[in-house]
């Protein structure tokens, strides 16, 4: 039986962001952009969607005089990721 | 990367790739603290040795306190270089930084204790720093740092055979072997990897 895939995570860029954040405590916008090779505009939009869903929190701060946007995954994001991977397994190994 | 919907196999491949490349990132700038603290310690140690050797003034020993000051300034000055590909903090980063904080506190306490009772301070510091290097290497799976740490701990036995101010020369030589040389080797390996990408 196939389990439904969370539509919010079932997007290449949002899934990449959550996969990065699941293995770190926090990462900034520059790091996420370099790892995903997404455009700044698109990444910004997808981060907003993840934040609105409560999957990540975004904090604005400074590194010296440079502004820094830092993201970290929430407990809800971890749980959504866990359920997403569990659902994926049902597609790959339906038995 | 865009907003495309991957199939289940692509999703799993993407998750694996992102987690794996994020873990690799942790080791990319690992050599910088080793070089900063290694060079700082060597230069200050040789300055103390030379100053005391030529003047016999114990005031030169106050120069030891330049090590944490210059070291932290160096870390602060290189923070942008260390985070050139973006800032990320992993549980491994946190574990390593906490280990070094604990070792630094122990080293400071031992230094203060040495004002009250004579202690083999340089030998003890090498043992603490060697432990830090070995533990860091084990955590981030960089065997060169692990080996260098254990070599440093073994070389600290040399202090049993050398006395007086000349112990500073042993101290500086061990830091060269334990931190600076492995730091440059890792730096060279990283630059080769970067060129090949």
């Amino acid at each position: 039986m196939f389990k439904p895939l969370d539509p919010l995570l079932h997007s290449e860029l949002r899934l990449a962001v959550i996969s990065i954040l699941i293995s770190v405590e926090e990462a900034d916008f520059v790091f996420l952009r370099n790892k995903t090779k997404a455009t700044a505009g698109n990444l910004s939009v997808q981060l907003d969607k993840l934040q609105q869903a409560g999957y990540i929190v975004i904090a604005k701060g400074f590194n010296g005089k440079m502004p820094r946007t830092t993201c970290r995954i929430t407990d809800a994001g971890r749980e959504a990721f866990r359920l997403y991977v569990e659902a994926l397994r049902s597609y790959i190994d339906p038995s | 990367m865009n907003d495309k919907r991957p199939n289940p196999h692509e999703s799993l491949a993407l998750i694996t790739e992102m987690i794996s490349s994020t873990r690799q990132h942790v080791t990319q700038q690992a050599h910088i603290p080793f070089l900063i603290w290694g060079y700082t310690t060597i230069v200050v140690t040789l300055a103390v040795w030379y100053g005391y050797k030529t003047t016999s003034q114990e005031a030169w020993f106050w120069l030891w306190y330049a090590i944490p000051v210059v070291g932290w300034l160096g870390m602060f000055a290189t923070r942008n270089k260390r985070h050139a590909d973006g800032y990320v903090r992993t549980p491994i980063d946190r574990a390593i930084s906490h280990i070094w904080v604990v070792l630094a506190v122990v080293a400071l306490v031992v230094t203060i204790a040495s004002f009250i009772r004579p202690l083999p301070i340089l030998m003890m510091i090498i043992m603490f720093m060697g432990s830090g290097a070995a533990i860091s290497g084990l955590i981030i799976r960089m065997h060169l740092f692990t080996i260098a740490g254990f070599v440093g701990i073994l070389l600290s036995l040399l202090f049993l055979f050398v006395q007086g101010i000349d112990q500073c020369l042993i101290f500086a030589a061990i830091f060269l072997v334990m931190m600076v040389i492995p730091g440059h080797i890792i730096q060279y390996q990283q630059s080769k990897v970067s060129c090949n990408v």
Side-chain angles (χ1 to χ4, degrees):
Chain A
M1 183 70 180
F2 295 138
K3 293 183 180 174
L5 290 167
D6 183 339
L8 205 73
L9 292 186
H10 198 52
S11 131
E12 197 179 30
L13 183 48
R14 290 193 294 267
L15 181 59
V17 168
I18 286 288
S19 302
I20 292 168
L21 293 179
I22 199 88
S23 52
V24 303
E25 288 185 352
E26 57 184 17
D28 76 355
F29 187 85
V30 177
F31 182 85
L32 293 172
R33 200 184 59 201
N34 284 336
K35 285 287 168 197
T36 59
K37 296 187 172 55
T39 62
N42 193 14
L43 179 60
S44 190
V45 169
Q46 304 311 328
L47 288 179
D48 272 346
K49 286 184 182 175
L50 289 170
Q51 186 185 32
Q52 279 166 19
Y55 289 179
I56 65 170
V57 284
I58 299 174
K60 309 265 185 191
F62 284 89
N63 173 31
K65 290 178 181 172
M66 300 286 286
R68 175 190 277 168
T69 302
T70 311
C71 305
R72 62 169 63 212
I73 195 165
T74 62
D75 288 342
R78 282 182 200 286
E79 181 61 11
F81 183 77
R82 189 186 67 75
L83 292 173
Y84 182 82
V85 172
E86 205 175 283
L88 274 184
R89 287 205 185 105
S90 73
Y91 286 84
I92 289 165
D93 183 16
S95 61
Chain B
M1 203 168 281
N2 52 41
D3 209 12
K4 161 191 159 194
R5 285 171 172 267
N7 67 40
H9 283 98
E10 287 171 339
S11 289
L12 270 186
L14 178 66
I15 291 167
T16 310
E17 185 197 332
M18 286 298 123
I19 291 176
S20 160
S21 76
T22 303
R23 283 189 179 154
Q24 280 172 10
H25 182 88
V26 174
T27 61
Q28 274 181 6
Q29 305 295 344
H31 63 280
I32 295 177
F34 277 74
L35 291 178
I36 289 172
W37 290 103
Y39 275 121
T40 303
T41 305
I42 289 171
V43 170
V44 171
T45 303
L46 293 178
V48 170
W49 173 79
Y50 181 77
Y52 185 77
K53 195 86 174 172
T54 52
T55 66
S56 298
Q57 294 285 320
E58 290 192 356
W60 283 97
F61 295 145
W62 288 104
L63 207 52
W64 288 119
Y65 293 100
I67 293 177
V69 175
V70 176
W72 282 116
L73 283 175
M75 293 292 284
F76 183 75
T78 57
R79 71 192 191 287
N80 285 339
K81 183 176 167 60
R82 284 184 284 130
H83 300 145
D85 297 333
Y87 165 81
V88 63
R89 185 171 172 85
T90 67
I92 289 177
D93 292 327
R94 188 159 50 88
I96 290 176
S97 75
H98 286 183
I99 287 165
W100 283 102
V101 166
V102 170
L103 288 171
V105 169
V106 173
L108 184 68
V109 170
V110 167
T111 310
I112 293 166
S114 72
F115 283 113
I116 302 163
R117 289 278 165 86
L119 289 170
I121 184 83
L122 295 183
M123 182 180 185
M124 293 170 85
I125 298 282
I126 289 288
M127 285 189 169
F128 299 146
M129 298 302 115
S131 307
I135 294 168
S136 301
L138 286 168
I139 292 175
I140 61 176
R141 295 178 192 163
M142 291 191 115
H143 302 310
L144 188 59
F145 287 142
T146 308
I147 294 165
F150 283 119
V151 167
I153 291 168
L154 275 177
L155 287 176
S156 71
L157 297 175
L158 289 173
F159 288 107
L160 299 175
F161 305 102
V162 178
Q163 297 300 316
I165 192 66
D166 287 341
Q167 282 194 342
C168 286
L169 297 178
I170 306 284
F171 190 71
I174 294 176
F175 260 84
L176 183 73
V177 171
M178 189 171 72
M179 302 194 98
V180 172
I181 292 175
H184 278 299
I185 293 173
I186 298 288
Q187 183 182 31
Y188 174 71
Q189 289 172 344
Q190 295 290 356
S191 67
K192 268 195 352 185
V193 170
S194 302
C195 288
N196 291 337
V197 170

